[in-house]
Amino acid sequence: MKHVSIWLVMLALLGTHMAGMGAFLTVPVLATRISAETGLPASLAGVHTALVYAGALVSGPFTQGFLARFGGIRVCQVGLCVIAAGLGLAVIGTPWALLVSALLAGVGHGPITPAGSHLLYARTPPHRRSLIFGLKQTGVPAGAMLVAGLAPLAALAFGWRGGVLAMAVFSLVLALALQPLRAVLDADRSPQAPSAPLADAARSMALLRSQPQIRALAITSCGFGVAQFCFGSFFVVWQVQVLGLGLAQAGLHLALAQGAGVIGRILWALCADRFGARPVLLGLGAVIILAALALAAAGPGWPVWLVIAVGLLMGASAVAWNGVLLAEIARVAPAGQVGGATAAMGVVFGATMVVMPSLFTLLVGWTGSYVPGFVMCAMTALIGLLSLVAGPGRGAAPPLPRR
């Protein structure tokens, strides 16, 4: 295999992101079933998300060095195997096993997004960058759809452990499927390069200080990401506990919302390539705020169709901004530092996700209501929107020439 099409690379990375989402959503989607056996509150789904991101903070800063020595495909393969091992630990079912499971799955997930950006950037024409990155990132909501649809069904047939193991096996299958691409796509690696992991991590993190555009975009990613991951972590549990819906139906509604995210990532990427990233991200921020406030206002009296509609709106916005923003991070990154810039953004993002989903869980416990948590999502999205408005160069690329 002497040449690999950019579309094949994108398809492989899409599958990688699909499998990677198992690290985040498998346990939260099955939280009510796990709670029934273990006695742990289902609202601890937010703590699980925070622990996954805590694990990602361990591995993320070192990604640029890993990419230089081993290549993007190998980094993705190892990450997927570590995710599978983390999910496998969860089936033990004890609180400590669930804690270590989340941390280990997060360690596996930390390098995946930077590795994908590294593999794509040099192979993507600038006038199609947002589209290609957006298509690659559709693996995130597509993976969420897979988890939301498959895990509850497997749990109904084989118990919640069956749902967890199904996602672990999927990660291992994807890791194996990437192997034929390694010889070509990892040809730029330097196995004999000096190993200085701490120095590599420090150089990546220094980009947040030296590159104001990267810093502004990182803040935006955090503001929008709180809504994205709190929605993914709590939408099913909220429907079951507040609206009284069944687990399978609630999981289907999340799957539909993630499907809207898939469509949104492609549509907004096309718009960003045509009109520039900034107006697209500003519009998405406004919609995220409105959708989060709508969820805060929802209650048992709402008809199911309206709950689905708000979920679709949240999916098309809070789940759909990532490809546009990652393409913009790649555009403004210094030469040869796309993976490092993406990883630096991911560390800030991950640190935020350690705190905010846990805060959502605490708000539910303190107030007995999900309303303050959804209001919090709207407020953080507003902060992300304001970062775009105030950022240097207004934080966006000009429209690229059409070719």
Side-chain angles (χ1 to χ4, degrees):
M1 186 185 294
K2 297 182 179 180
H3 176 73
V4 178
S5 164
I6 183 61
W7 297 106
L8 180 58
V9 179
M10 183 274 296
L11 185 63
L13 293 173
L14 187 152
T16 301
H17 281 289
M18 287 181 66
M21 282 307 292
F24 288 100
L25 290 182
T26 302
V27 170
V29 164
L30 299 174
T32 54
R33 289 299 179 98
I34 297 172
S35 174
E37 177 179 317
T38 65
L40 296 170
S43 61
L44 286 176
V47 175
H48 175 274
T49 300
L51 290 171
V52 173
Y53 270 113
L57 291 178
V58 174
S59 58
F62 300 98
T63 302
Q64 186 65 45
F66 295 155
L67 293 171
R69 296 196 70 199
F70 305 110
I73 290 294
R74 180 63 84 224
V75 168
C76 287
Q77 288 178 303
V78 173
L80 290 171
C81 290
V82 175
I83 288 171
L87 290 174
L89 277 176
V91 302
I92 297 173
T94 65
W96 281 108
L98 291 168
L99 184 152
V100 176
S101 165
L103 289 171
L104 186 58
V107 169
H109 194 276
I112 285 180
T113 298
S117 293
H118 167 84
L119 288 165
L120 278 184
Y121 181 75
R123 298 171 173 87
T124 305
H127 66 290
R128 287 288 178 262
R129 187 170 296 140
S130 290
L131 175 61
I132 297 298
F133 274 67
L135 286 169
K136 184 259 290 187
Q137 288 300 124
T138 60
V140 175
M145 287 177 64
L146 179 72
V147 176
L150 177 61
L153 291 177
L156 290 173
F158 306 108
W160 67 265
R161 289 178 175 83
V164 171
L165 290 176
M167 301 315 305
V169 169
F170 183 64
S171 290
L172 292 175
V173 169
L174 258 295
L176 183 62
L178 292 176
Q179 183 59 30
L181 300 175
R182 192 183 184 232
V184 175
L185 296 185
D186 284 355
D188 60 346
R189 69 189 186 278
S190 302
Q192 306 307 319
S195 178
L198 293 178
D200 291 335
R203 278 192 293 270
S204 293
M205 297 309 299
L207 293 172
L208 294 170
R209 182 180 66 253
S210 63
Q211 303 292 321
Q213 285 183 303
I214 293 176
R215 184 169 61 247
L217 290 167
I219 294 171
T220 297
S221 74
C222 293
F224 292 1
V226 171
Q228 177 184 3
F229 279 90
C230 286
F231 173 71
S233 296
F234 291 98
F235 189 53
V236 170
V237 176
W238 171 74
Q239 290 177 85
V240 172
Q241 293 188 339
V242 175
L243 305 184
L245 300 180
L247 176 62
Q249 183 180 6
L252 174 61
H253 294 169
L254 177 60
L256 291 172
Q258 298 292 347
V262 172
I263 297 171
R265 290 190 183 211
I266 298 171
L267 177 61
W268 308 139
L270 288 169
C271 291
D273 280 335
R274 181 67 178 86
F275 303 108
R278 180 175 179 267
V280 173
L281 290 170
L282 287 173
L284 287 173
V287 176
I288 292 169
I289 294 168
L290 293 175
L293 292 176
L295 285 174
W302 274 39
V304 171
W305 69 264
L306 189 54
V307 173
I308 295 173
V310 175
L312 291 173
L313 189 63
M314 184 66 93
S317 55
V319 181
W321 55 270
N322 310 66
V324 175
L325 190 138
L326 286 171
E328 185 67 358
I329 286 280
R331 185 191 72 85
V332 303
Q337 289 289 311
V338 172
T342 307
M345 182 274 291
V347 169
V348 178
F349 186 91
T352 303
M353 295 308 115
V354 169
V355 175
M356 302 309 287
S358 296
L359 180 57
F360 195 117
T361 293
L362 290 174
L363 289 171
V364 174
W366 287 337
T367 66
S369 170
Y370 286 83
V371 171
F374 288 128
V375 171
M376 178 191 75
C377 292
M379 295 301 99
T380 59
L382 177 61
I383 292 171
L385 190 150
L386 292 176
S387 177
L388 280 177
V389 172
R394 298 199 179 272
L400 291 161
R402 299 185 65 79
R403 299 179 185 177

